Amino acid sequence: DAKTTQPPSMDCAEGRAANLPCNHSTISGNEYVYWYRQIHSQGPQYIIHGLKNNETNEMASLIITEDRKSSTLILPHATLRDTAVYYCIVRPGSARQLTFGSGTQLTVLP
Amino acid sequence: GAVVSQHPSRVICKSGTSVKIECRSLDFQATTMFWYRQFPKQSLMLMATSNEGSKATYEQGVEKDKFLINHASLTLSTLTVTSAHPEDSSFYICSARLQGVVEKLFFGSGTQLSVL
């Protein structure tokens, strides 16, 4: 799986958009970008995934650059409950397991 | 999204005893489940891949005789920590693979194991 680089921590004000970056400069053509998050003492939660087009669902938006070497996860209106570690993972769509890096600790401030 | 149920959520046991953790996919069938371990302030580390009807595949450095995995049905995998010791204290998390055009993994809520 391609290696990803994320900032170790970020803060965001409640109600504002949280933009979490991820660099994956060695991504291959068949690899997808997945985002998961882990709230303290819970299992990871799937957020969104994409290949090359931008994606949006009820939780977040995923913006992938045209060269696919980086992406941004956007939480449009962050709440205190969005405080978690966010993991950006790159892997083929048919790959079996997920390999977790260190992620970004997002803290939403009141 | 798909639901994965993991029990118990927390267990405290004495050194030398065995502990069983259950992982169930509630609304889908999972031929493959995964077991992860997470130490405080660290990321998740894959321990083993559980395959329905066959032996589990263990990651390097994980003792298969200590961490027994059984995947007897398409909705249930169990992890048994045998002869637990304090160093086995950790957060154990299971996940189940939902097959499709693009496969996703869904995770249980985790089990905090404390060995005294």
Side-chain angles (χ1 to χ4, degrees):
Chain A
D1 296 349
K3 181 177 171 58
T4 61
T5 303
Q6 299 178 253
S9 65
M10 293 181 63
D11 292 341
C12 175
E14 187 178 20
R16 304 294 293 270
N19 297 283
L20 292 93
C22 180
N23 286 321
H24 32 79
S25 59
T26 61
I27 191 170
S28 300
N30 67 336
E31 290 183 313
Y32 288 73
V33 180
Y34 290 79
W35 283 84
Y36 281 76
R37 73 179 182 184
Q38 185 180 24
I39 296 170
H40 183 62
S41 297
Q42 295 183 25
Q45 177 188 21
Y46 166 82
I47 301 174
I48 198 168
H49 75 276
L51 182 61
K52 53 184 179 181
N53 297 324
N54 297 337
E55 302 288 345
T56 296
N57 63 20
E58 65 278 5
M59 291 184 67
S61 294
L62 174 61
I63 308 298
I64 303 174
T65 58
E66 192 168 342
D67 63 8
R68 301 186 69 235
K69 294 184 176 182
S70 65
S71 60
T72 302
L73 178 74
I74 301 172
L75 308 179
H77 306 286
T79 71
L80 299 179
R81 289 175 294 179
D82 292 322
T83 292
V85 178
Y86 287 77
Y87 295 98
C88 169
I89 300 169
V90 173
R91 69 190 262 275
S94 61
R96 305 185 84 198
Q97 71 269 24
L98 289 173
T99 302
F100 288 82
S102 53
T104 296
Q105 171 66 60
L106 174 69
T107 303
V108 181
L109 303 172
Chain B
V3 178
V4 175
S5 175
Q6 185 174 343
H7 292 281
S9 58
R10 181 179 296 273
V11 59
I12 302 172
C13 69
K14 293 182 178 179
S15 185
T17 61
S18 294
V19 174
K20 179 184 283 189
I21 303 169
E22 290 190 350
C23 180
R24 295 180 184 272
S25 56
L26 296 187
D27 50 1
F28 67 102
Q29 294 182 332
T31 55
T32 306
M33 293 186 178
F34 304 94
W35 288 95
Y36 291 82
R37 180 168 53 182
Q38 186 176 33
F39 292 106
K41 298 191 182 301
Q42 294 186 22
S43 190
L44 287 80
M45 295 297 296
L46 179 67
M47 297 176 65
T49 300
S50 171
N51 304 297
E52 188 268 336
S54 64
K55 291 183 178 181
T57 304
Y58 292 82
E59 296 300 300
Q60 191 172 8
V62 178
E63 300 175 57
K64 62 180 181 180
D65 295 330
K66 182 167 189 60
F67 298 100
L68 301 180
I69 291 173
N70 184 279
H71 193 156
S73 77
L74 289 172
T75 59
L76 174 64
S77 175
T78 60
L79 169 68
T80 301
V81 183
T82 62
S83 187
H85 288 94
E87 57 266 29
D88 298 324
S89 297
S90 187
F91 191 55
Y92 293 86
I93 308 167
C94 73
S95 70
R97 183 171 68 129
L98 179 62
Q99 292 178 277
V101 176
V102 177
E103 299 185 343
K104 304 175 190 174
L105 292 191
F106 293 93
F107 288 80
S109 54
T111 298
Q112 181 62 55
L113 171 63
S114 298
V115 184
L116 305 178

